[in-house]
Amino acid sequence: MNRWLLRAMTELSSRKFISRLTGSFAKSPLSRRLIPRFAALYRIPVEEAEKPLAEYATLNEFFTRRLAPGSRAIDAAPDALVSPVDARIAACGPIENGLLLQVKGQDYSLEELLNRSPRTSQYRSGYYWVLYLSPTDYHRIHAPCAGEVVETEHIPGRVYPVNERGLTLMRRVLSRNERLITYMRHGSGEIAVVKVGALNVSSIKYVEPLPRSLERGQELAYFEFGSTVVLLAEDDTFLPLPGFQAGDQVRVGQLLGTLIPDLTKV
């Protein structure tokens, strides 16, 4: 009964107009007075922010803040695949027969996650990371490797919460929420950066102008309020760094593993 009630309440609160209202307030000057309280409540390391708190005009501007130069070290190895975000790992592992297995007790189909893109077949035996950004986290998204943006897709959807409770209680949240997908071609294959919207996320936005080519660690996009990134590596192109597990924290630029060279091009 309790589980059913929670699901019903989440369904009612996941309408886009509620997120738009929240987003409108966060972008208004009235929200400015909430910034210090918000920062204290979520224990945000304000010393890392690009500007002092008093210089942010709205809560949204603070939430989508950039960091002070040098706040994140980007792994310099030429074959590195790094975390695109500051986040907690919700799940990670090999993709098996097109399925992301046991993401908070649920299996996810690549076909649904990628909206039945023709590119789905390239990832059926690849590797995945589900990276959850809480309100505490820095919310800009960076390129996990150097490469060329070869395709982008916006998939309309719901805005269910993607925190642990949302991922556990709701059915296939990652495949039902709004998504913005970036496919990048690198030296040995392709990756997909799937940005998943969530409750109270008024939008997912690319940096403007969106570069065609990106360096590892370069800004790609940002969330307005907390959400999740699903990072996918194409079949036979990635070797994960051992030891990561669900619940671990990662930061932008931190090494996740290495890209396997395409020996046919050597």
Side-chain angles (χ1 to χ4, degrees), residues 172-189:
R172 302 195 324 278
V173 170
L174 300 178
S175 299
R176 298 168 67 194
N177 277 17
E178 179 180 12
R179 301 182 298 289
L180 192 64
I181 305 177
T182 311
Y183 296 96
M184 288 181 61
R185 172 66 54 180
H186 54 81
S188 55

Side-chain angles (χ1 to χ4, degrees), residues 37-73:
R37 187 178 302 175
F38 183 89
L41 175 65
Y42 288 106
R43 299 179 181 177
I44 294 171
V46 296
E47 68 279 1
E48 292 183 345
E50 182 183 42
K51 302 185 292 187
L53 290 190
E55 293 186 18
Y56 291 98
T58 67
L59 180 60
N60 184 74
E61 185 182 323
F62 171 68
F63 199 87
T64 60
R65 67 195 177 278
R66 289 184 169 90
L67 297 181
S71 295
R72 297 291 179 273

Side-chain angles (χ1 to χ4, degrees), residues 67-108:
L67 297 181
S71 295
R72 297 291 179 273
I74 309 300
D75 194 284
D79 56 354
L81 185 75
V82 302
S83 177
V85 286
D86 285 5
R88 188 179 73 245
I89 299 172
C92 61
I95 302 169
E96 298 185 14
N97 274 336
L99 292 176
L100 283 62
L101 299 175
Q102 289 300 302
V103 180
K104 297 300 177 184
Q106 300 185 53
D107 297 341
Y108 280 85

